Structure formats: structure tokens, C-alpha cells
Amino acid sequence: PGLRCSAQATFVKPCNTAAIMTEKQLDCSLDLMRRLPPQNIEENLAGLIDLVPALCEDLLSSIDQPLKVAKDKKDGRDYLLCDYNRDGDSYRSPWSNLYDPPIEDGAMPTDRLRELEIQANHAFDTYRELYFEGGVSSVYLWDLDEGFAGVVLIKKLGDGSKQVKGCWDSIHVVEAVETSSGKNATYKLTSTVMLWLETNKEGSGMMKLGGSLTRQAEQSFTVSDSSPHVANIGQMVEAMENQMRNTLNEIYFGKTKDIVNDLRSVDSLADSMQKKQMQLELARAMAKRTQPK
């Protein structure tokens, strides 16, 4: 898109150098944010916007930020804030379906979709309690020209016990397109998990570990009373979270453990030297036994 062929010339020249530069800046900014600690996303994002104000809208729409918690003034329950339940400066609660601060013409789901949203919030509230034993979850749905879309949000913040702090933020955006008969639907899922941990113990000192992961999946299901939309979406989210949890465990915790084991030895230097000497003696003994007489 940055190059255009002229009919009156034999060479190709850039049509918009500024656009190409902006695209490179955006790619570099996104690549940088992927490598920075997720617990500092807001601070780092604000710094990038100060450096390149022209990328403000693109950066805000492309980078997932840690979820924030608010309390429903009518229902008294906590819910999560994101762009999908925001209208202006107000956020809609999935429990009371009211905006805070109140607005008159805020975006609302249709009656059919609102009923589905209520069911999804109760279902994922149970899922969150079973898997995370605490935290906050919220589900928001909105209509599309064909089908509907929604987001499932889960946040679990560590309480700091045992000198360990941490946070898990998962954002699952799903798009559902039903067939003309309404008996089948195709679901497209994009999931992002942000995880960070911080420990400060006398034996190991200060240690920070964090990262984010994004995955996509697409699957078709039958839609019926025994297999409604909520169950189908829940099955996909559960499978995706398990897969991403295992990947995070292998990438971050497993790799960190390997590095620490290579850098630090549990045995003393004298014990290590003794083991090496024993191995050498065994090797010599076996070599003598295998020599022909």
C-alpha cells in the first residue's frame, strides 16, 4: 500500500512516506510492549503515547490493558471494566444493566441478548469460583449484523500471602455466527492472558516474572436446548484457558526453573568434586574391564 506505479514514469516511488513511517513506529511499539512486564502496561503505554501522540488511537485499540474492578451501586457486586462495556466515560454493569455514571442513551443489548448475557454471567461466575477460588468475572454481549459477539473477562489478584504477589487477567473475545436454520453456529475465539508474579523471600530475594499470551481458535457447534450458546462458548473458553495455562507454565516457569538450576547448584563444591571424581574412577574401572586380555 505504500508503493504505487505511475503510468507516466518507469519507476516506482513511495506515495506516503509518513504513512510508512507511522506503520513502522506502530510495529515497533507493539513489539516493545510485548516484551515489557504486563504489570507496568499502563505506565509504559502512557510513555509511548507521549513519545508518539499520532499513534494514540492505534495503541489503545491494539494493546490489552489489565482489567479494573468496579462495584455495582445497585446490586453491590463487583464487575470488570473494559472497552466493551464502556460508553463515553460510563461503564455498564452486567448485573444491574445500569451505567455508572448514569447516562440516558447508553448502548444496550437486545432483550434476547440480555437474557443470554445474564445466563453467561452466572455460568462464568461459577466457572471462576471453581477454577480460581476467588477473583471477579464479567461477560458482555452485543449484536452484530450476523449473529452476536461478546467478551468473557476474568481477573484474579493475589492477596500477597506467603510473600507472593501476582495477578491473572484473561480476556476472551468471541464472535458467534448462526446458520440460517439457527441449529448450528460457528464461534471465533481470541484469547489473551496476562500474568505476573512477584516474590520477595529471604532465601531467594526479589524475583519478578510476567508475560502475556494471545491465541485464536474457531469451532462449530450444534445449538439446541442441551447445547446452548453459553455451554458452547464455555467449552471453548475452558479448553483455551487450560491450553494457555499449560503453555505459560512450560514457557515461563519451566524455562526459569531450568535457568536457575543451571546457575545455582544445590550441592556444595566439595560434594560436586567428589561426584566427578567418583564418575572418573567408575569410567576407568569399566574401561579396564572392557579391554581385551
Side-chain angles (χ1 to χ4, degrees), residues 233-272:
I233 295 173
Q235 183 177 337
M236 289 189 70
V237 169
E238 182 180 20
M240 180 64 78
E241 281 211 335
N242 286 334
Q243 176 187 342
M244 297 178 76
R245 191 179 293 110
N246 292 335
T247 302
L248 286 168
N249 183 53
E250 293 174 3
I251 293 176
Y252 295 110
F253 300 101
K255 190 65 176 177
T256 302
K257 185 178 180 181
D258 292 340
I259 293 173
V260 171
N261 288 340
D262 288 341
L263 293 175
R264 295 184 178 181
S265 176
V266 178
D267 300 327
S268 63
L269 181 60
D271 292 338
S272 299

Side-chain angles (χ1 to χ4, degrees), residues 3-203:
L3 300 175
R4 181 174 59 192
C5 183
S6 173
Q8 298 179 354
T10 58
F11 57 89
V12 178
K13 61 181 180 180
C15 64
N16 194 337
T17 306
I20 297 176
M21 181 59 69
T22 301
E23 185 177 349
K24 288 183 177 179
Q25 289 176 331
L26 179 60
D27 291 341
C28 292
S29 299
L30 295 177
D31 187 57
L32 178 63
M33 290 299 297
R34 281 192 290 267
R35 301 170 189 274
L36 294 173
Q39 64 266 36
N40 300 330
I41 283 181
E42 291 178 305
E43 179 183 348
N44 296 329
L45 183 57
L48 275 176
I49 293 174
D50 287 340
L51 288 174
V52 194
L55 297 179
C56 178
E57 186 175 346
D58 291 328
L59 289 174
L60 290 175
S61 62
S62 302
I63 298 174
D64 291 311
Q65 301 184 52
L67 301 169
K68 294 184 178 180
V69 182
K71 184 176 289 292
D72 190 319
K73 294 181 179 179
K74 180 180 179 180
D75 191 88
R77 301 182 67 175
D78 291 336
Y79 65 97
L80 297 172
L81 309 181
C82 67
D83 284 339
Y84 300 104
N85 70 320
R86 181 173 64 88
D87 194 330
D89 294 328
S90 299
Y91 292 88
R92 182 173 65 90
S93 167
W95 307 115
S96 63
N97 202 30
L98 298 175
Y99 277 93
D100 183 27
I103 54 176
E104 295 181 357
D105 55 348
M108 292 287 187
T110 59
D111 293 340
R112 170 181 173 272
L113 207 59
R114 173 57 185 163
E115 182 62 31
L116 189 64
E117 186 180 78
I118 293 173
Q119 297 174 10
N121 272 284
H122 287 299
F124 278 99
D125 190 52
T126 303
Y127 167 86
R128 170 198 54 76
E129 188 61 37
L130 291 173
Y131 269 92
F132 296 89
E133 298 180 354
V136 184
S137 65
S138 295
V139 181
Y140 303 102
L141 304 179
W142 59 93
D143 290 285
L144 298 176
D145 294 336
E146 296 181 3
F148 66 92
V151 62
V152 180
L153 310 172
I154 299 174
K155 184 181 187 70
K156 174 64 184 294
L157 187 65
D159 56 4
S161 61
K162 300 180 181 179
Q163 296 179 308
V164 177
K165 298 179 181 179
C167 184
W168 168 286
D169 288 293
S170 56
I171 304 170
H172 305 277
V173 181
V174 61
E175 178 183 341
V177 178
E178 297 179 340
T179 58
S180 56
S181 63
K183 294 182 179 179
N184 295 280
T186 299
Y187 304 89
K188 296 179 181 179
L189 178 66
T190 301
S191 299
T192 299
V193 169
M194 292 173 283
L195 173 68
W196 66 269
L197 293 171
E198 180 181 307
T199 63
N200 189 6
K201 297 183 178 180
E202 184 177 351

